[in-house]
Amino acid sequence: MTEAPALRPAAGRGPGLERCHGSRLSVEDGALVLRAGGRTRRVPVGDGGVARAVFVDAAPADARRDEPGRPGAWGEVRLQDRDGAQVARIPLGEWLPEAPALVERAVQGEQLLERTGVAGLLRAAGVPLHVARDRNDPRAGSGKGGVSLGPGPAFPLWYWCVRGVAGTLWFSAFTVVVFSDTVPAWLVLLLALTALCGPVARLALRAWTRLRAGRRRATVLERVTPGPAPRTGATARFLRETEVRVQDRDLVLRDLGGQEYWFARSGPHAVTRLVKVLDGTGRPVGAELRGPGEQVRAVFLWDLWFGGADGADGWSRLCGASGLDVSERRLSGKRTWPKGPVLGTGLLPRTGRDARRMARFPGTAAGVSSTAVMAFGNLFSLIQGLRVADTAPGPAAVAVAAGALGLVLQAVPYAVHELRGRLVLDRPAAERTTNEEARR
């Protein structure tokens, strides 16, 4: 009997790893069941629930290829009742494990449905699926209403609440301070303390992420780390962080930035084969991890993964532990490999600077702008504290201390990350260094 699929989220790192471990969309007892963020949501199928599904295979009108992460850019499946009203929607990009490594909409149509597992999910639920190539297709409906069956946000709710409340209070105090001739001491104190909340919340998020990671339990059958050939440019960070984990239910690829790509080992959307790719002379150039319809889900560059002294052992352990069918194919003529965008070709950044950028603790969608605003807030607090030092020395001292502490809490983690990368992790790995030594 074929096992019903349970969808895996798009790859994540840092706090986003929580989704990879815990968020699943499956079929149970005549309902679509979403487990995410410690909560369970059930959407009934049949009378009074989902009667049909329409895959809208089109990006939003305002989505562009050079803007990664746009909601709905991969298309969505709209779940409708018998009258055509929308009950729920499945954002496909959020359930495609390798989505962060690909150009948006690099995979479309039925291939995308098979890769994510949505096609198998709806088959198991007995829900007929239609495809609309245009958002104006009458079958697609308005696209409004219904719940989103996504894996949830990467950052925990408490973090957004702290940042949201503190940011609102800080901006209100900042507006009053800027447009007032006289500034009350209590307002400067409020300004400083709310500005400090940003860096403190980020450090708390780091601690929360590390604590949660220590509590996770996954049954790991085998770990395969890179065994690179000499002069491939492999660094200590690459050997230390990059790996393939064969777990009881998943095959997990981890890159040096800590991002993990989870692929199911069972169900109609599971990975099925490892294909060793040879060039025209018979020399191995890489391996392909394939899934439904022989689609290539990820590639392993042979010289980086299996070209060194320990490479043959790593390849045999991966083949044995994964239980996948293993075969070979030879490239003909001047064909290039791999063909098209695929996960696995950018695992080793070209420069140490790129590696440090990949490995930096993840930020919000605002990116560098969020850090710049926090730094400005702390600096502004320090200046305002000095401004009222003569009239209110107590609050002024607190404001100056809070502003300085906020700047330190942002500068120190960044400096440690950069120095550790430059001096240790992003230097070329010694050719005789074993993977175990690199990890220690």
Side-chain angles (χ1 to χ4, degrees):
M1 181 176 179
T2 302
E3 183 178 339
L7 274 56
R8 270 66 172 174
R13 63 191 185 96
L17 282 178
E18 197 72 20
R19 299 192 308 179
C20 295
H21 282 265
S23 296
R24 297 292 185 270
L25 180 60
S26 57
V27 180
E28 299 177 18
D29 301 325
L32 297 176
V33 180
L34 172 67
R35 289 185 173 85
R39 300 180 180 181
T40 300
R41 181 189 295 273
R42 298 178 64 88
V43 178
V45 173
D47 294 335
V50 177
R52 67 181 184 186
V54 179
F55 171 35
V56 183
D57 188 19
D62 60 345
R64 299 184 302 176
R65 284 182 177 268
D66 59 348
E67 296 178 320
R70 291 294 300 273
W74 289 90
E76 65 180 7
V77 172
R78 297 174 181 174
L79 306 177
Q80 304 170 346
D81 62 17
R82 297 190 184 281
D83 297 325
Q86 187 162 296
V87 177
R89 60 190 181 279
I90 303 176
L92 291 183
E94 296 185 25
W95 293 108
L96 178 64
E98 63 267 42
L102 302 180
V103 177
E104 286 179 346
R105 295 188 58 75
V107 184
Q108 302 180 34
E110 287 72 12
Q111 288 189 344
L112 179 58
L113 292 171
E114 295 293 339
R115 279 203 194 193
T116 56
V118 170
L121 183 81
L122 295 177
R123 281 196 299 268
V127 176
L129 175 62
H130 309 281
V131 178
R133 307 293 181 185
D134 189 334
R135 289 185 171 270
N136 296 322
D137 191 311
R139 295 176 299 180
S142 64
K144 298 180 180 179
V147 298
S148 176
L149 298 181
F155 290 80
L157 180 60
W158 64 262
Y159 180 75
W160 289 118
C161 290
V162 171
R163 292 293 302 273
V165 172
T168 301
L169 291 174
W170 179 85
F171 185 75
S172 300
F174 172 78
T175 303
V176 174
V177 168
V178 169
F179 292 100
S180 298
D181 294 330
T182 58
V183 180
W186 67 267
L187 193 61
V188 173
L189 192 59
L190 176 65
L191 188 77
L193 295 179
T194 52
L196 182 60
C197 285
V200 170
R202 181 174 288 182
L203 286 180
L205 179 62
R206 287 174 178 259
W208 179 88
T209 300
R210 187 175 293 274
L211 180 64
R212 299 285 291 187
R215 291 178 176 176
R216 298 190 192 110
R217 294 293 181 267
T219 304
V220 179
L221 306 178
E222 187 66 85
R223 293 178 186 270
V224 178
T225 54
R231 294 177 293 279
T232 55
T235 62
R237 189 195 298 273
F238 179 74
L239 296 183
R240 180 178 183 271
E241 300 294 343
T242 308
E243 68 175 8
V244 177
R245 292 198 309 270
V246 182
Q247 299 180 173
D248 54 345
R249 297 183 178 181
D250 303 273
L251 189 71
V252 182
L253 172 61
R254 176 185 173 92
D255 66 21
L256 58 70
Q259 187 144 269
E260 294 187 355
Y261 304 82
W262 288 50
F263 301 101
R265 295 184 61 204
S266 61
H269 66 313
V271 289
T272 55
R273 279 214 299 158
L274 279 169
V275 180
K276 187 176 182 180
V277 181
L278 312 175
D279 64 13
T281 65
R283 185 182 70 88
V285 295
E288 299 171 341
L289 178 66
R290 296 196 174 196
E294 293 298 311
Q295 295 186 63
V296 178
R297 306 300 301 273
V299 297
F300 304 96
L301 304 181
W302 197 264
D303 284 348
L304 276 181
W305 281 93
F306 313 113
D310 300 330
D313 176 65
W315 174 247
S316 63
R317 288 190 293 116
L318 177 60
C319 294
S322 66
L324 300 174
D325 294 334
V326 181
S327 61
E328 293 184 358
R329 75 180 183 94
R330 181 172 297 205
L331 300 175
S332 59
K334 297 182 178 180
R335 291 181 59 188
T336 58
W337 183 90
K339 185 178 180 180
V342 63
L343 169 64
T345 57
L347 292 185
L348 181 61
R350 294 182 178 180
T351 66
R353 181 179 181 182
D354 292 337
R356 290 187 291 277
R357 185 183 300 113
M358 283 181 61
R360 195 171 297 147
F361 190 81
T364 63
V368 177
S369 298
S370 176
T371 301
V373 169
M374 285 196 298
F376 171 78
N378 295 131
L379 180 61
F380 189 77
S381 301
L382 192 153
I383 294 173
Q384 294 304 311
L386 295 174
R387 178 182 175 187
V388 299
D390 294 335
T391 58
V398 174
V400 170
L405 179 59
L407 291 173
V408 169
L409 292 181
Q410 293 179 77
V412 170
Y414 176 79
V416 170
H417 174 78
E418 288 292 315
L419 289 174
R420 187 165 177 254
R422 290 174 183 271
L423 300 178
V424 181
L425 296 180
D426 297 321
R427 299 178 67 86
E431 292 183 6
R432 293 186 179 181
T433 299
T434 64
N435 295 328
E436 289 76 14
E437 288 172 344
R439 286 180 176 275
R440 288 197 295 268

